[in-house]
Amino acid sequence: MNGGLPGFHNAPASRAVVVAAALFSVPFGFRGRFLDLGLSYQNVYERLSIWRLITSLFAFSSTPELIFGAALLYYFRVFERQIGSNKYAVFIVFSTMVSVLLQILALGYLKDPSINPLTSGPYGLIFASYVPFFFDIPVSMRFRIFGLSLSDKSFVYLAGLQLLCSSGRCSVVPGVSGILAGLLYRLNTFGIRRLKFPEFVTSLFSRVSWPYSSNPYQGLPTTENDANISSHQDAHAATQDPTESSIAALVSMGFDRSSAVQALVMTNYDVNLASNILLEAQALQQ
């Protein structure tokens, strides 16, 4: 699953969520089968265990769930780069809160002991992200395996399906709640898509999730020769021609060739991320 530029560059909010999920899952989540970290009817409506709202949002209850969940959160960081950290932080809060509310309503309506407790973890955010993934991320490559027609998006769907079915109905309810939350965000409920957090909020995400610079060489002294080498490498990367197949893929989506080349150079020749930039540019012009 190639999500564009390596690491969490320009995605501090996504990094904060992944770090929080890892920190909660290690001490709590792997014992979740015994601690019942997820939401349940008894905990919500009878015992009022508010602390479980926090653990249910971040702590995965098993190692496979953490691996698949963290991989999907890492991939979906592309949306933060697309709309900006300020707006993406609103998406995180909205999808998480709406998903939790829907889960609480489902527990109260169904009163089914077979879904108690619900699977814990940031399912709301993960499956809400599948809504823009379905509508906004174009297919850049198609292929066939054992007679099945697949695309580069198929592996992301399969990872989500694995996570959705990891605990039966206990994980289906949080997953479906997340999808509904993503649809409400896309429909711009209450004008939510116009909102964005102040700059200091996203700066706080960056400091809390990673208290030091993501560039390990930033603090090292540089010489004039180092600067010349760096500028030469940057110039070489900027003038390097992207592959014709990547250009053809973007042109086939309706983008003009010059814009496609420019977007590919900006994204280190990543077709998916380049198409996201071009789609966002088109949306701003409309």
Side-chain angles (χ1 to χ4, degrees):
M1 296 186 297
N2 186 9
L5 296 175
F8 286 101
H9 178 66
N10 290 335
S14 300
R15 180 174 59 192
V17 174
V18 173
V19 170
L23 292 178
F24 274 87
S25 297
V26 171
F28 298 112
F30 297 156
R31 298 174 58 195
R33 303 301 182 188
F34 306 98
L35 296 178
D36 293 339
L37 298 177
L39 300 177
S40 66
Y41 181 84
Q42 292 78 12
N43 293 332
V44 174
Y45 290 95
E46 296 178 1
R47 303 171 188 167
L48 298 178
S49 301
I50 305 300
W51 66 271
R52 281 185 170 82
L53 289 175
I54 305 300
T55 57
S56 67
L57 293 179
F58 296 105
F60 288 102
S61 57
S62 67
T63 302
E65 291 172 6
L66 174 61
I67 293 174
F68 279 98
L72 288 170
L73 289 170
Y74 179 78
Y75 177 86
F76 289 140
R77 78 202 186 284
V78 66
F79 299 124
E80 181 175 359
R81 293 171 178 166
Q82 182 178 1
I83 65 177
S85 297
N86 296 342
K87 285 190 174 182
Y88 188 72
V90 174
F91 174 76
I92 293 176
V93 173
F94 178 83
S95 60
T96 300
M97 293 181 62
V98 172
S99 173
V100 169
L101 179 60
L102 292 175
Q103 292 178 53
I104 292 175
L105 292 176
L107 288 171
Y109 177 76
L110 297 175
K111 297 181 181 179
D112 187 351
S114 66
I115 62 173
N116 285 324
L118 297 175
T119 303
S120 61
Y123 277 67
L125 174 59
I126 291 173
F127 287 95
S129 300
Y130 271 97
V131 175
F133 176 76
F134 176 80
F135 288 104
D136 298 335
I137 301 297
V139 174
S140 60
M141 180 177 59
R142 294 187 180 275
F143 52 91
R144 298 184 69 86
I145 297 180
F146 301 116
L148 297 176
S149 179
L150 303 175
S151 70
D152 55 324
K153 297 176 64 175
S154 300
F155 298 105
V156 182
Y157 286 125
L158 289 174
L161 183 62
Q162 168 66 30
L163 194 63
L164 183 68
C165 301
S166 59
S167 301
R169 289 194 293 177
C170 294
S171 55
V172 169
V173 172
V176 173
S177 299
I179 294 174
L180 293 176
L183 290 172
L184 290 175
Y185 182 87
R186 186 170 187 85
L187 293 173
N188 200 22
T189 306
F190 308 118
I192 189 66
R193 297 181 68 174
R194 295 195 301 267
L195 301 180
K196 62 180 180 180
F197 281 114
E199 190 67 32
F200 76 89
V201 175
T202 55
S203 177
L204 181 63
F205 277 138
S206 180
R207 294 177 182 179
V208 170
S209 62
W210 206 259
Y212 51 87
S213 171
S214 59
N215 183 2
Y217 302 104
Q218 185 175 5
L220 296 179
T222 58
T223 64
E224 182 179 356
N225 185 47
D226 294 332
N228 292 335
I229 294 175
S230 178
S231 61
H232 175 73
Q233 291 175 341
D234 293 341
H236 176 72
T239 56
Q240 184 180 1
D241 291 333
T243 61
E244 285 298 323
S245 60
S246 299
I247 299 175
L250 293 177
V251 171
S252 65
M253 299 175 193
F255 305 115
D256 62 90
R257 182 181 178 86
S258 60
S259 298
V261 172
Q262 183 179 7
L264 286 168
V265 172
M266 291 173 57
T267 59
N268 197 23
Y269 314 130
D270 186 278
V271 176
N272 286 334
L273 189 55
S275 63
N276 294 337
I277 293 176
L278 293 172
L279 287 171
E280 182 68 13
Q282 283 186 347
L284 294 175
Q285 293 174 357
Q286 293 176 354

